[in-house]
Amino acid sequence: MSASPSVRPAPVARSMTLPPESLRLEGELPMAGAAVPFVEIEALRAREFIPAAKEALGSLISNRSRETLIGPVFNWAGRNSLFPLHWGLACCAIEFAAAFGARWDAERFGVVARSSPRQCDLMIVNGTVTWKVAHKLITLYEQMPEPKWVIAMGNCATGGGPFRTAYSVVPGVDKLVPVDVYIAGCPPRPEALLDGILTLEKLIRERKE
Amino acid sequence: MGPEELRAALAPALGPSLVGVEPFEGFAARVRFRREGATELFRAVHGLGNTHLSMVAGIDWVDHREVLYIVWSDAAKQYTLLSADLPADDPHIETASGVWPSANWHERETWELVDITFDHHPDLRHLLTPDGYEFRPLLRSFKIHEPEELEVKVRHV
């Protein structure tokens, strides 16, 4: 909880009594009779929500330690619902679009392109980055909530590509933002993009908190 | 409208600013003019039905520079090429954006790439390159930089 109390009141933890047994569905047995810690979720920021939710979940699962179960649960949820930013810089965006079309259907991996950076945790830099667009790219990256990842798609985003010595091209997007996965190709085929996303999922699986 | 008709139509308004009107492949004519009569030429050419400005470009001929305007007439279905030579040490010309508003961005591009200044332009700032970019990449004197060297100069403007 890094929020300053002078700016915003700390989230209020309350106890929520479960509904009477007659109203409860079967299958809620682990919680039966227990007072579940309840946090006003609406009052939380995203970076406050994750530790609060971990705490709530951890109190429900008492028999296993937090390190062995809770971290992997959030990791698993995150890597199976990677939301890339829906934007296109150059011709790689055509392959990016094809990867989300009917034939390759990236959505079967839980990858759904979102139009707002605030809903995204993955930035796929699909094209040539010029110095003119550089600060806008950094702004979009800063607007994405943590944890976030970057895939440099294609030769231009990886190292400037054929325009490396051009007067206006950033020689690799890793000059601007940290890159997790590089995909070679000019442009890479949709299979290569999907392979890059699956590689990123492996990296996230091995990630330590 | 052929070159001779164009010369007859433009000569009274321009006088000595009209250098010559000559045939040009694919165009109605090529009109060479001096920059002193630029505004009068733009108004006269626009008045002849050339209501669309297709492009503005600049060429660095090392000893001088040349600015080119390509205009299109919907009535005649013809392009006309307008060109003016500018001295290399002081390349400036009156803006055409008062006559053809679409000249605005074309002139910004020509200014930042070929370093031709357009006087009385409403908004002469960088279009394709970052603000404060010091290079004029389409000049012959521009040297290709190593990416790292360019980055240092561009990032900290």
Side-chain angles (χ1 to χ4, degrees):
Chain A
M1 304 268 177
S2 59
S4 158
S6 63
V7 178
R8 190 192 185 105
V12 186
R14 291 190 307 200
S15 286
M16 180 181 71
T17 317
L18 289 171
E21 213 159 334
S22 56
L23 295 178
R24 237 177 277 153
L25 294 173
E26 289 197 19
E28 287 186 339
L29 288 178
M31 302 184 196
V36 180
F38 175 73
V39 184
E40 280 188 273
I41 289 173
E42 292 86 351
L44 290 178
R45 295 177 188 160
R47 74 172 57 163
E48 297 161 355
F49 169 75
I50 291 177
K54 275 181 187 174
E55 200 180 327
L57 195 57
S59 69
L60 288 180
I61 307 166
S62 53
N63 290 339
R64 305 215 188 166
S65 69
R66 197 167 292 182
E67 289 72 22
T68 53
L69 191 58
I70 306 303
V73 163
F74 275 83
N75 233 335
W76 163 80
R79 73 169 181 265
N80 284 296
S81 60
L82 284 171
F83 285 8
L85 185 59
H86 189 184
W87 71 324
L89 286 171
C91 33
C92 280
I94 305 294
E95 304 296 316
F96 176 84
F100 288 84
R103 184 160 178 174
W104 286 279
D105 193 18
E107 215 171 309
R108 63 203 153 116
F109 302 114
V111 182
V112 184
R114 306 293 304 192
S115 297
S116 166
R118 306 200 187 277
Q119 300 170 344
C120 298
D121 50 6
L122 170 62
M123 172 182 269
I124 298 179
V125 185
N126 45 18
T128 318
V129 184
T130 60
W131 286 112
K132 184 84 173 180
V133 87
H135 74 275
K136 297 177 180 72
L137 185 144
I138 292 172
T139 304
L140 285 169
Y141 179 76
E142 297 289 339
Q143 285 176 335
M144 287 162 50
E146 294 274 2
K148 53 193 170 186
W149 296 275
V150 177
I151 290 180
M153 179 183 181
N155 291 352
C156 291
T158 302
F163 315 109
R164 183 176 170 80
T165 52
Y167 57 85
S168 62
V169 172
V170 181
V173 73
D174 49 8
K175 304 267 184 197
L176 306 173
V177 292
V179 177
D180 298 284
V181 174
Y182 298 87
I183 304 173
C186 187
R189 285 184 59 84
E191 294 96 321
L193 177 59
L194 293 180
D195 185 58
I197 290 171
L198 294 177
T199 307
L200 179 64
E201 288 185 7
K202 279 179 200 153
L203 289 179
I204 298 172
R205 184 184 296 149
E206 291 155 9
R207 187 174 74 108
K208 297 284 182 289
E209 285 287 323
Chain B
M1 187 176 279
E4 288 311 314
E5 293 166 280
L6 204 55
R7 184 202 303 277
L10 294 176
L14 271 97
S17 302
L18 187 67
V19 177
V21 183
E22 57 202 52
F24 198 75
E25 173 101 35
F27 289 77
R30 173 175 184 165
V31 180
R32 295 175 181 272
F33 64 101
R34 291 200 181 87
R35 64 179 173 187
E36 290 78 19
T39 309
E40 288 76 17
L41 177 96
F42 298 148
R43 288 202 183 119
V45 170
H46 187 274
L48 293 174
N50 298 287
T51 49
H52 172 65
L53 178 72
S54 184
M55 61 172 281
V56 178
I59 304 175
D60 178 20
W61 292 108
V62 183
D63 59 332
H64 70 282
R65 287 183 207 157
E66 189 173 9
V67 60
L68 302 158
Y69 304 80
I70 296 179
V71 294
W72 167 257
S73 166
D74 260 343
K77 300 272 184 267
Q78 267 182 323
Y79 288 109
T80 307
L81 178 64
L82 319 173
S83 70
D85 287 346
L86 309 173
D89 53 347
D90 183 24
H92 71 92
I93 190 169
E94 195 67 24
T95 178
S97 56
V99 180
W100 295 284
S102 66
N104 191 321
W105 281 28
H106 290 272
E107 290 178 349
R108 281 169 65 183
E109 186 185 351
T110 309
W111 166 73
E112 72 177 347
L113 295 179
V114 201
D115 199 17
I116 292 171
T117 308
F118 292 89
D119 302 330
H120 303 110
H121 189 284
D123 186 24
L124 198 61
R125 58 193 167 85
H126 287 275
L127 180 68
L128 303 172
T129 51
D131 289 336
Y133 191 74
E134 62 179 276
F135 303 110
R136 293 292 182 266
L138 292 195
L139 292 183
R140 307 273 175 186
S141 55
F142 177 73
K143 297 282 185 292
I144 292 180
H145 290 71
E146 285 301 312
E148 290 73 20
E149 184 192 352
L150 190 71
E151 178 191 348
V152 170
K153 296 204 169 191
V154 174
R155 194 191 272 272
H156 301 293
V157 290

